[in-house]
Amino acid sequence: MISSQIYYVTGASKGIGKKLVERLLLNGDKVVATSRDKKQLNELFGQDNENFLALQVDLANEESVKKSVEQSVQHFGTLDIIVNNAGYGFVGSVEESTNEQVKENFDINFYGTLNVIRHALPILRTKRQGLFINVSSLCAFYGFAGCGIYSATKAAVDLLTESLQQELIPFNVKAITINPGYFRTEFIGAIKKPSYTIEDYKQLNDNQTKHDETMHNNQRGDPNKLVDVVFEIVKRNGQGIALPQHIYIGVDSNEVALAKAKQIQKEIEEWSFITTKTDFDTVAAATTTPQ
């Protein structure tokens, strides 16, 4: 039996974050829930008490994040598990995406996560214990047409988390991503799109719109079962069991990730006849194994 943990969860007002906070409170854990609207959080989960703290946070504003972490520690004394869940989808061709829209997507999906990591990490590092669960996406590993910008934000989160995990080994703090496929949340309904379109991409955009309309509220993934996976991750981590760096969640996520991994291996092997012949001749001669 693992004792109760103190969680800091971003994007807690809807979707996966909302489901997670509900379960954590039922489980007897202590939770800091953040979003852009504290009033909404209190309406969803009740007033602040010894087990719950709602905070209004602008993730793109580092000072806002810093203040929220300080308030969390003041309320609960420490933090144990950080769940960087906040984020939103952006769908449209790369060419149609303006720098402003791209920056806005990175500000929340990537910099928001980074801001939380930087200000929560000293707490976990100092006590030599803790876990970061960064919510990424299948799109971080497979770039679907029309999802280039969103994929870039999540791929950045994946590689940031990989490097972070290596840096945290001496401190007994873990950092992983979970990479869901399609789960039945409000995510698709909140997707943003380019402010202007290019005629040549009409078919792409029409297909994307049709896909989103078909998938919305028909996703195969049950968010409550995704939360089950999060609880299993926390349980295994508490038992000292090694965790994967990236955990693909959902049948669709697993299938696409495995197919992509096989594709990568195939391409590496097919091109190795020339891509591995790039050393200086003197180096190649010196490393040739005698027959």
Side-chain angles (χ1 to χ4, degrees):
M1 181 70 176
I2 299 174
S3 59
S4 64
Q5 306 280 310
I6 303 171
Y7 287 75
Y8 179 104
V9 182
T10 69
S13 63
K14 56 188 176 182
I16 295 170
K18 178 174 176 286
K19 295 290 185 182
L20 177 60
V21 172
E22 289 173 345
R23 288 278 295 280
L24 290 171
L25 293 174
L26 285 174
N27 194 52
D29 291 298
K30 301 179 187 299
V31 184
V32 178
T34 81
S35 81
R36 290 172 293 182
D37 188 344
K38 174 179 170 63
K39 180 181 177 182
Q40 183 183 22
L41 291 171
N42 286 133
E43 290 174 350
L44 287 170
F45 307 115
Q47 295 304 305
D48 298 350
N49 55 57
E50 66 275 9
N51 292 320
F52 176 72
L53 175 65
L55 293 176
Q56 180 173 321
V57 180
D58 177 1
L59 291 174
N61 184 313
E62 190 169 359
E63 282 302 312
S64 178
V65 173
K66 178 182 178 183
K67 181 180 178 181
S68 75
V69 172
E70 291 172 347
Q71 291 174 310
S72 301
V73 173
Q74 183 178 12
H75 191 84
F76 287 122
T78 188
L79 293 170
D80 297 311
I81 299 172
I82 313 299
V83 182
N84 280 301
N85 167 70
Y88 70 89
F90 181 84
V91 170
S93 73
V94 171
E95 188 178 354
E96 292 169 315
S97 308
T98 66
N99 278 356
E100 182 180 6
Q101 291 173 315
V102 173
K103 183 179 182 300
E104 287 175 352
N105 206 205
F106 267 92
D107 277 347
I108 300 302
N109 293 5
F110 177 73
Y111 285 103
T113 296
L114 178 59
N115 286 337
V116 172
I117 289 171
R118 275 201 299 246
H119 290 288
L121 180 51
I123 301 163
L124 276 57
R125 174 172 49 79
T126 298
K127 67 179 185 177
R128 298 300 196 260
Q129 187 177 9
L131 173 64
F132 287 94
I133 301 176
N134 296 331
V135 180
S136 183
S137 169
L138 167 61
C139 293
F141 190 53
Y142 190 97
F144 296 92
C147 297
I149 304 308
Y150 177 70
S151 290
T153 68
K154 290 302 188 179
V157 169
D158 273 29
L159 271 295
L160 172 76
T161 306
E162 282 190 18
S163 294
L164 178 66
Q165 169 57 31
Q166 296 301 311
E167 295 167 3
L168 297 182
I169 290 173
F171 314 125
N172 191 39
V173 177
K174 306 293 193 309
I176 67 167
T177 69
I178 60 173
N179 298 63
Y182 282 109
F183 280 81
R184 198 169 299 176
T185 68
E186 304 94 328
F187 182 82
I188 290 180
I191 284 176
K192 296 185 180 182
K193 297 184 178 182
S195 55
Y196 78 101
T197 58
I198 298 172
E199 183 62 27
D200 277 349
Y201 295 108
K202 185 178 186 305
Q203 186 63 58
L204 172 67
N205 292 327
D206 287 348
N207 289 343
Q208 186 66 53
T209 297
K210 182 178 180 181
H211 170 270
D212 291 348
E213 290 175 349
T214 301
M215 289 293 294
H216 188 41
N217 291 325
N218 289 305
Q219 301 96 318
R220 65 187 291 171
D222 181 345
N224 290 303
K225 293 184 178 180
L226 189 153
V227 172
D228 289 341
V229 176
V230 173
F231 271 79
E232 186 66 21
I233 290 168
V234 172
K235 174 184 174 182
R236 287 173 178 260
N237 183 63
Q239 294 172 341
I241 299 172
L243 300 176
Q245 181 63 78
H246 308 290
I247 302 179
Y248 293 90
I249 307 179
V251 173
D252 51 354
S253 186
N254 275 264
E255 288 178 347
V256 173
L258 282 172
K260 174 70 177 287
K262 291 176 182 178
Q263 177 191 348
I264 292 173
Q265 182 177 0
K266 180 175 180 288
E267 291 175 351
I268 290 172
E269 291 173 349
E270 286 180 348
W271 282 84
S272 65
F273 77 97
I274 188 171
T275 59
T276 60
K277 305 298 189 293
T278 55
D279 288 345
F280 284 104
D281 291 342
T282 52
V283 174
T287 57
T288 300
T289 303
Q291 297 297 318

